[in-house]
Amino acid sequence: MLEVCKSEFDGIENVEFLQIDIRKPPKESLEGSFDSIFSSYCFMYISDQRNALQNIFDLLSPGGNCLVLQLSFAPFIKPFFTLAESSKWKSELKGLRDLYAFPFWEDPNPIFTVEDYMKSIGFIDISVTIQKNYEQIESQEHYKAFIESLPSPWKTLPEEYQEDFMNDLQETAKTDNLFKTNISRQSAPIKEPHQFLLIYGRKPE
């Protein structure tokens, strides 16, 4: 992502690119130096959400704000969790939650949880909402391309198991009605919606 940004901003002055780990406390030189922080589809891979939000707070300058968008539940990812509970793939996918943390997957009230984190840290003007999306994927081919773009545990399987795993993954996705049909582009509705957490907060002046 940084390489893409560098190419997009090539020749523009006063732009700096840094790679830092939001799971770790920021360097003292960076504390209080960001007016705004935006995160898109990153936080669902972080298990300790409060810690990451605390680090954002420490990075913000007084009056600075943050906006975090993450998936709290994703039907497109659910087939991984389903297979991780199966006798066939359980041992192969034992490290799945290390890769796909999704800390709010089983949380019955993620809004309350996040608001509680942010209030305890010191954020003000807090807004946490859930948005739902019932979108389906065009085809199994599109789903395979999507899966291959993710940090995926199937890539670590022995080569002779990878095709079998991908077939099982797509069959599980089909059972969950994740695909549109190839003929009419219509199908049974997706069983569960994607749930997006939109998190906003500001650091006091």
Side-chain angles (χ1 to χ4, degrees):
M1 294 298 292
L2 285 178
E3 293 305 315
V4 171
C5 288
K6 288 176 183 178
S7 65
E8 291 291 326
F9 285 85
D10 184 41
I12 298 179
E13 297 181 356
N14 300 323
V15 178
E16 184 179 2
F17 301 92
L18 301 173
Q19 181 173 338
I20 62 175
D21 189 343
I22 199 61
R23 298 170 300 179
K24 298 178 181 178
K27 294 180 180 179
E28 188 175 344
S29 60
L30 292 177
E31 289 183 1
S33 61
F34 288 81
D35 295 327
S36 294
I37 294 176
F38 170 69
S39 175
S40 177
Y41 302 116
C42 170
F43 262 55
M44 63 253 198
Y45 296 113
I46 299 174
S47 57
D48 192 339
Q49 293 279 303
R50 191 194 183 285
N51 176 66
L53 288 168
Q54 178 68 64
N55 293 336
I56 282 182
F57 187 86
D58 293 341
L59 285 166
L60 287 172
S61 58
N65 60 73
C66 70
L67 183 65
V68 174
L69 173 64
Q70 66 171 302
L71 280 165
S72 59
F73 180 82
F76 294 171
I77 302 296
K78 187 180 177 182
F80 280 111
F81 291 88
T82 301
L83 293 183
E85 294 300 319
S86 69
S87 58
K88 181 177 180 180
W89 296 107
K90 192 170 186 177
S91 63
E92 302 290 347
L93 299 178
K94 58 186 177 182
L96 181 65
R97 290 310 285 265
D98 294 331
L99 186 62
Y100 293 151
F102 279 87
F104 302 112
W105 194 275
E106 292 95 5
D107 192 327
N109 194 344
I111 291 178
F112 174 83
T113 302
V114 175
E115 286 180 343
D116 187 55
Y117 288 160
M118 298 186 79
K119 288 175 183 177
S120 68
I121 291 168
F123 282 101
I124 61 173
D125 298 339
I126 298 165
S127 173
V128 184
T129 59
I130 291 181
Q131 300 176 0
K132 297 183 179 182
N133 186 320
Y134 289 84
E135 184 179 0
Q136 291 170 297
I137 292 179
E138 288 294 324
S139 67
Q140 292 189 53
E141 291 74 21
H142 282 83
Y143 184 62
K144 183 177 180 181
F146 165 72
I147 292 301
E148 289 177 342
S149 72
L150 297 175
S152 178
W154 77 280
K155 297 174 184 176
T156 65
L157 295 175
E159 190 172 345
E160 62 268 24
Y161 295 160
Q162 291 186 12
E163 184 177 354
D164 188 24
F165 176 75
M166 182 59 73
N167 289 337
D168 285 356
L169 194 70
Q170 293 188 85
E171 285 302 312
T172 305
K174 189 188 300 183
T175 301
D176 290 341
N177 298 337
L178 296 188
F179 309 130
K180 296 179 182 179
T181 61
N182 290 327
I183 299 175
S184 64
R185 297 298 176 188
Q186 298 295 321
S187 68
I190 193 170
K191 290 184 177 180
E192 298 171 285
H194 293 79
Q195 295 190 41
F196 303 85
L197 267 178
L198 190 61
I199 303 165
Y200 174 84
R202 189 166 64 85
K203 188 173 184 175
E205 297 280 356

